[in-house]
Amino acid sequence: MNRKLLQLTLFLTVPAFSFAQFHWDIGGGLGASNYLGDIGGMEQTRRDFVADLKFSQTHFAGDAFVRYKINHNISVKTEFTYARISGSDNLSTNPGREGRNLSFRNDLLELSAKGEFTFFTINDVGRGYRYRDDFKAYLFAGVGGFYSNPKANYEGQWIALQPLKTEGVSYSKFGLCLPAGGGVSYTINKQHRIGWELGWRTTFTDYLDDISTVYAETSGLSPLAQKLANRNGELHYDPSTTDLPNPNNYTPGNKRGDPTHNDSYIISTINYSYVIKQKSIYSHIWDHDHPIYGKITHNKNKYGPKRTMRIKL
């Protein structure tokens, strides 16, 4: 009776602990980033999602992460991400933006926690019946915090804009974002995972580019802030030869940005991670060379011969 009970216990527990040996992976990725906001864009006024992205303003991004697999479909990931975003009105064909003549760059630092849902899996790529290589496609969503410090190039130097209060308001360098997207991964020999991921970050700020509302009264700005808040004066305006709007459109109280839409950014990376193989409490009885069978060796009694029992999993 005790022998049958032991067999049943091993049948139920050994598979779970054997699969649990590959729950953690750690890695990083390299890729590209872009942004959607008030600066630059295409020929029209601001449009949502990718319709207003300027692909010439795509920059480097990178990340490092730790991931834990809860079960076959659900994983959680903690990730640190660096992404540069930028924009320039002189790249737009919209006359109003060209006349505004603003530009920026911002190096974002993000820390996030995400949940991943695997909706498609091939457990045994190539059908080698050893289940060493697999392919997965997944969706993810989460919450993150980021550090933002928009800067403008003025006379050859990058000037931090947040302390200048170019619109006469104070905003924080720290913000919240909601990352969401999807990806695919291919695991080689159970421990080497290569993947691609694309994610959109929705934020709760309109100041990743230092632009949101209207031109501020110059009396409340420092001399440097005045120069960086309104850069229309750096353009040559000749009514007979230019299609740019009248400079009076860029005076205090007139529209400078669009406060009805917050800024957002997009990141795409190719990543690699190493899957950590952990020892389970049954590792001393598990035959790793034969994943379909387990075996246990024990003494029948104190002085008797050893007996080996093999159970099919």
Side-chain angles (χ1 to χ4, degrees), residues 12-32:
L12 295 175
T13 59
V14 171
F17 279 93
S18 64
F19 287 124
Q21 293 174 350
F22 299 94
H23 276 196
W24 292 94
D25 66 309
I26 182 171
L30 299 175

Side-chain angles (χ1 to χ4, degrees), residues 156-172:
Q157 294 185 337
W158 287 98
I159 308 297
L161 297 170
Q162 187 261 4
L164 298 179
K165 301 180 182 180
T166 55
E167 291 189 353
V169 298
S170 178
Y171 59 87
S172 177

Side-chain angles (χ1 to χ4, degrees), residues 146-195:
F146 63 85
Y147 170 80
S148 166
N149 189 22
K151 299 179 180 180
N153 192 309
Y154 181 68
E155 295 183 347
Q157 294 185 337
W158 287 98
I159 308 297
L161 297 170
Q162 187 261 4
L164 298 179
K165 301 180 182 180
T166 55
E167 291 189 353
V169 298
S170 178
Y171 59 87
S172 177
K173 290 184 179 181
F174 297 91
L176 294 176
C177 65
L178 299 177
V184 295
S185 68
Y186 180 71
T187 305
I188 304 171
N189 199 25
K190 293 186 179 181
Q191 290 189 278
H192 302 280
R193 182 167 294 152
I194 300 172

Side-chain angles (χ1 to χ4, degrees), residues 21-92:
Q21 293 174 350
F22 299 94
H23 276 196
W24 292 94
D25 66 309
I26 182 171
L30 299 175
S33 55
N34 208 314
Y35 116 109
L36 179 63
D38 295 287
I39 293 184
M42 308 301 285
E43 72 282 356
Q44 301 179 26
T45 56
R46 188 189 191 280
R47 291 176 291 174
D48 291 333
F49 201 50
V50 297
D52 211 28
L53 289 178
K54 200 70 176 179
F55 290 100
S56 64
Q57 294 298 287
T58 301
H59 295 286
F60 168 80
D63 61 36
F65 61 85
V66 176
R67 177 166 42 202
Y68 178 75
K69 183 175 70 174
I70 298 175
N71 56 43
H72 291 295
N73 299 110
I74 304 297
S75 299
V76 292
K77 180 164 72 172
T78 300
E79 185 175 47
F80 175 78
T81 303
Y82 163 82
R84 170 170 287 186
I85 59 175
S86 70
S88 180
D89 283 336
N90 63 19
L91 298 175
S92 176

Side-chain angles (χ1 to χ4, degrees), residues 9 23 52 67 74 102 122 127 134 159 178 225 228 241 247 263 266 286 290 297:
T9 302
H23 276 196
D52 211 28
R67 177 166 42 202
I74 304 297
L102 294 175
I122 302 176
R127 295 186 178 183
D134 65 52
I159 308 297
L178 299 177
L228 293 178
T241 61
D263 298 333
I266 185 172
W286 182 248
H290 301 85
T297 302

Side-chain angles (χ1 to χ4, degrees), residues 103-107 149-153 158-161 208 210:
S103 62
F104 87 106
R105 83 175 186 191
N106 196 346
D107 294 316
N149 189 22
K151 299 179 180 180
N153 192 309
W158 287 98
I159 308 297
L161 297 170
L208 294 183
D210 193 62

Side-chain angles (χ1 to χ4, degrees), residues 3-4 6-8 10-11 14 285-298 307-313:
R3 176 181 175 182
K4 292 184 177 180
L6 178 60
Q7 288 177 317
L8 177 62
L10 289 173
F11 178 82
V14 171
I285 64 171
W286 182 248
D287 185 1
H288 296 283
D289 292 330
H290 301 85
I292 306 301
Y293 293 91
K295 64 180 180 180
I296 181 170
T297 302
H298 64 94
R307 298 178 60 190
T308 298
M309 169 174 66
R310 187 176 293 272
I311 51 176
K312 185 175 181 180
L313 303 180

